[in-house]
Coordinates of all heavy atoms in Angstrom, one line a residue:
L462 N 171.9 40.5 -79.5 CA 171.7 41.4 -78.4 C 171.1 42.8 -78.8 O 170.3 43.3 -78.0 CB 173.1 41.7 -77.8 CG 173.6 40.7 -76.7 CD1 175.0 40.9 -76.3 CD2 172.7 40.7 -75.5
D463 N 171.4 43.2 -80.0 CA 170.9 44.5 -80.5 C 169.5 44.4 -81.2 O 168.7 45.3 -81.1 CB 171.8 45.2 -81.4 CG 173.1 45.6 -80.7 OD1 173.1 46.0 -79.6 OD2 174.2 45.4 -81.3
S464 N 169.3 43.2 -81.8 CA 168.1 43.1 -82.6 C 166.9 42.3 -82.0 O 165.8 42.6 -82.2 CB 168.5 42.4 -84.0 OG 169.1 41.1 -83.7
D465 N 167.2 41.2 -81.3 CA 166.2 40.3 -80.8 C 166.6 39.6 -79.5 O 166.8 38.4 -79.5 CB 165.9 39.2 -81.9 CG 164.7 38.4 -81.6 OD1 163.9 38.7 -80.7 OD2 164.5 37.4 -82.3
P466 N 166.6 40.4 -78.4 CA 167.1 39.8 -77.1 C 166.2 38.6 -76.7 O 166.8 37.7 -76.0 CB 166.9 41.0 -76.2 CG 167.0 42.2 -77.0 CD 166.3 41.8 -78.3
L467 N 164.9 38.6 -76.9 CA 164.1 37.5 -76.4 C 164.4 36.1 -77.0 O 164.0 35.1 -76.5 CB 162.6 37.8 -76.6 CG 162.0 39.0 -75.7 CD1 160.6 39.2 -76.1 CD2 162.2 38.6 -74.2
S468 N 165.1 36.1 -78.2 CA 165.4 34.9 -78.8 C 166.7 34.3 -78.4 O 167.1 33.2 -78.8 CB 165.4 35.0 -80.3 OG 166.4 35.8 -80.8
I469 N 167.4 35.1 -77.5 CA 168.8 34.7 -77.1 C 168.7 33.5 -76.1 O 168.0 33.6 -75.1 CB 169.6 35.9 -76.5 CG1 169.8 36.9 -77.6 CG2 170.9 35.4 -76.0 CD1 170.4 38.2 -77.1
R470 N 169.5 32.5 -76.3 CA 169.6 31.4 -75.4 C 170.8 31.7 -74.5 O 171.9 32.1 -74.9 CB 169.8 30.1 -76.1 CG 168.5 29.7 -76.9 CD 168.8 28.6 -77.9 NE 169.8 29.1 -78.9 CZ 170.3 28.3 -79.8 NH1 170.1 27.0 -79.9 NH2 171.2 28.9 -80.7
A471 N 170.7 31.3 -73.2 CA 171.8 31.5 -72.3 C 172.8 30.3 -72.4 O 172.3 29.2 -72.6 CB 171.3 31.5 -70.8
L472 N 174.1 30.6 -72.3 CA 175.0 29.5 -72.3 C 175.1 29.0 -70.8 O 176.1 29.2 -70.1 CB 176.4 30.0 -72.8 CG 177.5 29.0 -73.1 CD1 176.9 27.8 -73.9 CD2 178.6 29.6 -73.8
A473 N 174.0 28.4 -70.4 CA 173.8 28.0 -69.0 C 173.2 26.6 -69.0 O 172.8 26.0 -69.9 CB 172.8 29.0 -68.4
Y474 N 173.2 26.0 -67.7 CA 172.8 24.6 -67.6 C 172.4 24.4 -66.1 O 172.9 25.1 -65.2 CB 174.0 23.7 -67.9 CG 175.3 24.3 -67.5 CD1 175.8 24.3 -66.2 CD2 176.1 25.0 -68.4 CE1 176.9 24.9 -65.8 CE2 177.2 25.7 -68.1 CZ 177.7 25.6 -66.8 OH 178.8 26.3 -66.4
D475 N 171.5 23.6 -65.9 CA 171.1 23.1 -64.6 C 171.3 21.6 -64.4 O 171.1 20.9 -65.4 CB 169.6 23.4 -64.3 CG 169.3 24.8 -64.0 OD1 170.2 25.6 -63.9 OD2 168.1 25.2 -63.7
L476 N 171.7 21.2 -63.3 CA 171.7 19.7 -63.0 C 170.5 19.4 -62.2 O 170.3 19.9 -61.1 CB 173.0 19.3 -62.3 CG 173.1 17.9 -62.0 CD1 173.2 17.0 -63.2 CD2 174.4 17.6 -61.1
V477 N 169.7 18.4 -62.7 CA 168.5 18.0 -62.0 C 168.6 16.5 -61.6 O 169.2 15.7 -62.4 CB 167.3 18.2 -63.0 CG1 166.0 17.6 -62.4 CG2 167.1 19.7 -63.3
L478 N 168.1 16.2 -60.4 CA 168.1 14.8 -60.0 C 166.7 14.5 -59.4 O 166.3 15.1 -58.4 CB 169.2 14.5 -59.0 CG 169.1 13.1 -58.3 CD1 169.2 12.0 -59.3 CD2 170.2 13.0 -57.2
N479 N 166.0 13.6 -60.0 CA 164.7 13.1 -59.5 C 163.7 14.2 -59.2 O 163.0 14.2 -58.2 CB 164.9 12.2 -58.2 CG 165.7 11.0 -58.5 OD1 165.9 10.6 -59.7 ND2 166.0 10.2 -57.5
G480 N 163.7 15.2 -60.1 CA 162.8 16.3 -59.9 C 163.2 17.5 -59.1 O 162.5 18.4 -58.8
Y481 N 164.5 17.4 -58.6 CA 165.0 18.5 -57.8 C 166.2 19.1 -58.5 O 167.0 18.4 -59.1 CB 165.6 18.0 -56.4 CG 164.5 17.6 -55.5 CD1 164.1 16.2 -55.4 CD2 163.9 18.5 -54.6 CE1 163.2 15.8 -54.5 CE2 162.9 18.1 -53.7 CZ 162.5 16.7 -53.7 OH 161.6 16.4 -52.8
E482 N 166.2 20.5 -58.5 CA 167.3 21.2 -59.1 C 168.5 21.1 -58.1 O 168.4 21.7 -57.0 CB 167.0 22.6 -59.4 CG 168.1 23.5 -60.0 CD 167.9 25.0 -59.9 OE1 166.7 25.4 -60.3 OE2 168.8 25.7 -59.5
L483 N 169.6 20.4 -58.5 CA 170.7 20.4 -57.6 C 171.6 21.6 -57.7 O 172.3 22.0 -56.8 CB 171.6 19.1 -58.0 CG 171.1 17.8 -57.5 CD1 172.1 16.7 -57.8 CD2 170.7 17.8 -56.0
G484 N 171.7 22.2 -58.9 CA 172.5 23.3 -59.1 C 172.4 24.0 -60.4 O 171.8 23.4 -61.4
S485 N 173.0 25.2 -60.6 CA 173.0 25.9 -61.8 C 174.4 26.5 -62.1 O 175.1 26.7 -61.2 CB 172.0 27.1 -61.7 OG 170.7 26.7 -61.5
G486 N 174.6 26.7 -63.4 CA 175.9 27.3 -63.7 C 175.8 27.9 -65.1 O 174.8 27.8 -65.8
S487 N 176.9 28.5 -65.5 CA 176.9 29.1 -66.9 C 178.3 29.5 -67.3 O 179.2 29.6 -66.4 CB 176.0 30.4 -66.9 OG 176.6 31.4 -66.1
Q488 N 178.5 29.7 -68.6 CA 179.6 30.5 -69.1 C 179.4 31.9 -68.7 O 178.3 32.4 -68.7 CB 179.7 30.3 -70.6 CG 181.0 30.8 -71.2 CD 182.1 29.8 -71.2 OE1 181.8 28.6 -71.4 NE2 183.3 30.1 -71.1
R489 N 180.4 32.6 -68.2 CA 180.3 34.0 -67.8 C 180.7 35.0 -68.9 O 181.5 34.6 -69.8 CB 181.2 34.3 -66.6 CG 181.3 33.2 -65.5 CD 179.9 32.7 -65.0 NE 180.1 31.8 -63.8 CZ 179.2 31.2 -63.2 NH1 177.9 31.3 -63.6 NH2 179.5 30.4 -62.2
I490 N 180.1 36.1 -68.8 CA 180.5 37.2 -69.7 C 181.9 37.7 -69.3 O 182.1 38.0 -68.2 CB 179.5 38.4 -69.7 CG1 178.1 37.9 -70.1 CG2 180.0 39.5 -70.5 CD1 177.0 39.0 -69.9

Side-chain angles (χ1 to χ4, degrees):
L462 275 171
D463 295 319
S464 59
D465 190 10
L467 288 178
S468 68
I469 296 175
R470 294 162 296 172
L472 192 46
Y474 35 80
D475 281 1
L476 181 61
V477 174
L478 173 58
N479 294 353
Y481 290 95
E482 178 196 314
L483 284 186
S485 297
S487 69
Q488 191 89 32
R489 319 305 189 186
I490 297 170

